[in-house]
Amino acid sequence: MMKLKPKVYILEQEFPIGRELAWQLLADNNRMNDAIGLFPVAFGQAKTQTGGVFYREAAAKVMGLVPMKWQEFPFEWQEQEFYTVERRYLSGPLLYYKLKVELSDAASVGMQTKIRLTAEFAPRNALAYPAIQTTGLPAVKKIMLYLENIQLDAQSSKLAKPAAPKVNHAELERLSNALRAYPVAEEFIAHLKAHLAESSDQDAAQLVPSQLAKLWKMDSEQVLRGLLYATKTGLSEMSWHVICPNCRVSKDDHRSLSELEQQFHCDLCGVLYDVNFDQSVELQFAVHPNVRQSYAEVYCVGGPVITPHIKAQRIVHPGDKAEFSLADEASMRLRVLQKNDQVPVGQKRSFRYTEAGWIEEPGEASNISVINDSAKDVVVALENADWSEDTVTAAKVTAMQEFRDLFSSEVLAPGQKIAIGHVTILFTDLKGSTALYEEAGDANAYGRVRGHFDFLTEHIKQNSGSVVKTIGDAVMAVFSKPADGVKAALAIQEKLGAFNEQTNDTLLLRLGLFSGPAIAVNSNDRLDYFGRTVNLAARVQGQGDAGEVIISGALLEQPDVAALLASPLLSIEPFSAELKGIEGEQALVRLRLREHAQTEAG
């Protein structure tokens, strides 16, 4: 049987948009394929072919009628330079389809970015040729039209206009008005209302606080809080996604924290992971179905935008060499997908990958190069090992007072214990409270203690923390960022005098903070924290006196905290102490506002 020749098409065009924007548009394959009218795809679990490279089996119906099945192999890319994807069809007129998208600087006046598309269609039989002309090639041409549309309004669009979203405008109006009962900016309400009514299904079904903040030119924390209130009113809904800590792709989703399981398996990495609040559980928002029916269709599962921490990815065959461009970013590493063999990359070097793992070659190189000395194909990713600050992790959102106030029923299942890699715990103590009850009487003293709880809660809330519980006259609070906890503690001590003047009181507080790992649990239908970090925070607080904040020496070494404490108004005194029940001396730091120190000294 005669082998039919592949058809190769090359399209080039220049656009008046920057390389970064062009990359964001073209590398977001789900959004792009939705815009150009391609069909959604159902993907199976990752499988490994003979030789080592994994793939996913995919199925779709062309024009909603003709079924197609194929194997989709990992994307290869270098951020803002190129990406390629290959599909090998299991049936039908095509054997395979390959697409390469390349970005470079434009040469023409008024243009910024040149796009080059190379599409290769390999026919299985003669029926493929008319299918390529009627379906395959037009789909590739629409990629260019998609970029042209960025400069056009809806009426001038060169692509088929999407169906108007099915929005319940009466419900949208009613719930938008209900949202005004909460402490939410009118600007946020107006933006959200328009977004839910006018955005694409992809955008309405994926309400990402950091992206919306950039779009609306608002603070991301303000948008996150607004979405929490919007969820409470019924404009949006939320779900908890279990994220693989390596590939950072959602592996499962749940409507409630109580549905989380202790462990999960990533088919792509081939590893069983323990669920962790600050790395593997993420809160996501979507429009509520009572307001609008929308669904984020899936067109690909391995595109560059899905894993933005991966700056470059290549398939390297045995004996072959691959080059990676290294941007000036910290905490970069090379990782072999599925095997999870990792090596840190601090500068341009050559590396060899063997059956035993990574070997770093001596001396500098012009770029990052990888030679595959193993017996199988490997998929190598150059990625940022740090987690994005924009991610709404469970550790972050459960430390927010708004979340605890609005969703008090959102707790773990009884007996469930979820690790948190890093959390900051604050303990407060009302000095002389026993004498207060003796002198003022129970009713009067309790009222004054309750008033000081409100004062503490307000400052904790203002600094992105939340009150976990009260213990007698003490408060235990949690923060996802150490600097937020220190800022809250200092604000409490600074503003306590004004609070006392306002309430005609003479309350004195001592505070202590400690950061580290902890365990989140369900305690009496409330999200609570236990572990050594909690114990240390309680003991550290006991080392202080009225007007003081005691923190660990390790906290002082963190850049955000050190910058916060670089003030002439603060007295900073390192010291060591033995803490009850804790082995060895602990390095601690005493913080005190100088005006407080001067007042007592006088």
Side-chain angles (χ1 to χ4, degrees):
M1 183 176 177
M2 185 179 68
K3 185 177 180 181
L4 300 176
K5 290 184 177 180
K7 298 287 288 184
V8 179
Y9 301 91
I10 298 175
L11 287 73
E12 292 184 347
Q13 190 170 337
E14 294 183 346
F15 295 91
I17 58 176
R19 183 92 69 94
E20 183 178 357
L21 176 57
W23 175 260
Q24 290 172 354
L25 293 168
L26 292 171
D28 190 346
N29 301 89
N30 280 331
R31 195 178 305 277
M32 180 182 72
N33 291 346
D34 181 36
I36 67 177
L38 295 188
F39 35 84
V41 181
F43 286 92
Q45 296 289 301
K47 297 181 180 180
T48 303
Q49 67 170 4
T50 303
V53 174
F54 62 89
Y55 63 88
R56 292 184 188 273
E57 289 193 355
K61 289 187 177 180
V62 180
M63 295 180 289
L65 298 172
V66 182
M68 294 184 68
K69 291 186 177 181
W70 66 87
Q71 297 171 341
E72 183 147 319
F73 287 82
F75 277 65
E76 297 184 75
W77 72 86
Q78 178 72 52
E79 190 175 62
Q80 297 189 30
E81 293 184 15
F82 76 89
Y83 72 78
T84 63
V85 63
E86 178 183 2
R87 291 179 171 181
R88 298 179 190 174
Y89 292 90
L90 301 174
S91 60
L94 283 178
L95 280 173
Y96 67 79
Y97 162 66
K98 296 179 182 179
L99 175 68
K100 184 172 186 178
V101 178
E102 298 172 272
L103 296 80
S104 59
D105 293 336
S108 303
V109 176
M111 297 295 172
Q112 296 186 52
T113 305
K114 177 181 177 181
I115 305 299
R116 177 186 173 96
L117 305 179
T118 304
E120 181 178 346
F121 301 87
R124 177 176 275 113
N125 54 50
L127 293 175
Y129 292 116
I132 292 169
Q133 292 297 322
T134 59
T135 304
L137 182 57
V140 177
K141 290 181 177 179
K142 285 180 180 178
I143 296 175
M144 294 300 196
L145 294 179
Y146 171 64
L147 287 181
E148 288 181 26
N149 267 8
I150 300 303
Q151 308 298 316
L152 304 174
D153 56 30
Q155 284 68 37
S156 307
S157 174
K158 297 182 180 181
L159 293 171
K161 295 179 181 178
K166 296 179 180 179
V167 180
N168 185 337
H169 288 282
E171 187 70 353
L172 176 60
E173 186 68 30
R174 184 184 72 82
L175 294 174
S176 297
N177 289 331
L179 186 55
R180 291 184 171 90
Y182 292 101
V184 178
E186 188 64 35
E187 177 188 11
F188 171 83
I189 298 173
H191 281 310
L192 182 63
K193 182 180 176 182
H195 189 81
L196 297 184
E198 301 166 7
S199 64
S200 68
D201 278 349
Q202 290 278 343
D203 289 329
Q206 296 176 322
L207 303 174
V208 182
S210 60
Q211 294 177 6
L212 293 177
K214 292 176 183 177
L215 180 66
W216 299 341
K217 295 181 172 57
M218 295 182 67
D219 177 70
S220 60
E221 294 291 320
Q222 185 181 11
V223 173
L224 172 56
R225 288 184 169 88
L227 286 173
L228 289 173
Y229 287 117
T231 300
K232 187 65 176 180
T233 60
L235 276 168
S236 56
E237 61 180 3
M238 63 187 189
S239 56
W240 301 94
H241 288 245
V242 179
I243 309 296
C244 171
N246 268 337
C247 61
R248 304 182 196 178
V249 173
S250 176
K251 297 301 176 183
D252 201 1
D253 63 275
H254 303 282
R255 289 299 172 190
S256 171
L257 280 175
S258 62
E259 298 174 5
L260 287 178
E261 297 180 359
Q262 195 74 37
Q263 295 181 318
F264 70 97
H265 180 265
C266 177
D267 62 316
L268 185 61
C269 295
V271 178
L272 188 68
Y273 293 100
D274 289 329
V275 169
N276 184 298
F277 255 22
D278 49 5
Q279 284 197 343
S280 57
V281 184
E282 180 180 334
L283 181 63
Q284 297 186 10
F285 298 92
V287 63
H288 196 286
N290 288 343
V291 173
R292 173 180 171 180
Q293 293 288 336
S294 68
Y295 180 69
E297 297 283 10
V298 177
Y299 297 85
C300 80
V301 292
V305 167
I306 294 174
T307 53
H309 66 291
I310 298 180
K311 305 304 177 182
Q313 182 169 291
R314 301 292 297 275
I315 298 172
V316 190
H317 304 296
D320 283 358
K321 179 179 180 180
E323 296 281 344
F324 296 80
S325 298
L326 179 64
D328 293 329
E329 295 190 42
S331 303
M332 299 299 290
R333 69 185 181 190
L334 289 168
R335 177 170 63 89
V336 178
L337 274 62
Q338 288 201 306
K339 291 183 177 297
N340 287 316
D341 291 332
Q342 304 170 11
V343 61
V345 176
Q347 54 186 316
K348 296 174 181 178
R349 289 287 177 89
S350 295
F351 295 85
R352 290 183 178 273
Y353 183 71
T354 70
E355 300 291 344
W358 288 101
I359 298 175
E360 183 175 348
E361 299 289 333
E364 290 192 22
S366 59
N367 229 323
I368 298 295
S369 65
V370 172
I371 298 174
N372 182 8
D373 278 346
S374 73
K376 294 183 178 181
D377 297 338
V378 292
V379 181
V380 180
L382 176 66
E383 63 186 6
N384 193 324
D386 290 338
W387 282 76
S388 170
E389 292 286 332
D390 294 333
T391 305
V392 184
T393 63
K396 177 178 181 176
V397 77
T398 55
M400 295 173 64
Q401 192 65 46
E402 290 89 347
F403 178 82
R404 285 180 173 264
D405 292 343
L406 294 171
F407 306 103
S408 58
S409 62
E410 270 294 329
V411 294
L412 297 170
Q416 179 72 296
K417 295 178 291 185
I418 302 294
I420 305 178
H422 198 278
V423 70
T424 298
I425 301 294
L426 165 70
F427 274 95
T428 73
D429 179 57
L430 184 59
K431 191 174 181 183
S433 60
T434 302
L436 174 65
Y437 277 92
E438 288 293 324
E439 294 170 5
D442 289 348
N444 184 289
Y446 178 73
R448 292 159 70 179
V449 170
R450 290 298 307 173
H452 116 283
F453 284 158
D454 294 338
F455 164 76
L456 292 172
T457 300
E458 184 59 29
H459 286 286
I460 290 166
K461 178 179 177 180
Q462 287 176 3
N463 290 283
S464 302
S466 69
V467 173
V468 177
K469 58 187 174 184
T470 59
I471 311 163
D473 55 31
V475 160
M476 173 185 170
V478 62
F479 301 84
S480 65
K481 296 180 180 179
D484 289 339
V486 175
K487 194 184 301 182
L490 293 174
I492 287 168
Q493 294 291 27
E494 181 184 0
K495 303 297 183 182
L496 182 59
F499 172 76
N500 281 334
E501 286 184 16
Q502 183 182 351
T503 57
N504 194 28
D505 218 326
T506 56
L507 302 181
L508 296 173
L509 288 168
R510 55 183 182 179
L511 295 87
L513 297 103
F514 207 91
S515 291
I519 299 294
V521 301
N522 178 339
S523 178
N524 299 319
D525 292 327
R526 181 183 61 236
L527 198 62
D528 205 344
Y529 302 85
F530 289 90
R532 186 172 184 268
T533 296
V534 178
N535 295 336
L536 280 164
R539 296 286 184 263
V540 162
Q541 170 266 121
Q543 294 297 309
D545 204 345
E548 295 180 349
V549 176
I550 308 298
I551 64 173
S552 66
L555 270 180
L556 189 61
E557 297 173 3
Q558 297 198 13
D560 288 351
V561 175
L564 181 65
L565 300 182
S567 168
L569 300 178
L570 275 175
S571 167
I572 302 174
E573 177 193 340
F575 69 102
S576 298
E578 291 187 357
L579 307 178
K580 183 179 178 181
I582 306 297
E583 186 176 344
E585 282 197 341
Q586 298 294 316
L588 304 175
V589 178
R590 191 185 316 276
L591 305 178
R592 195 172 178 83
L593 294 169
R594 290 196 183 276
E595 58 182 4
H596 284 233
Q598 291 168 2
T599 300
E600 288 212 355

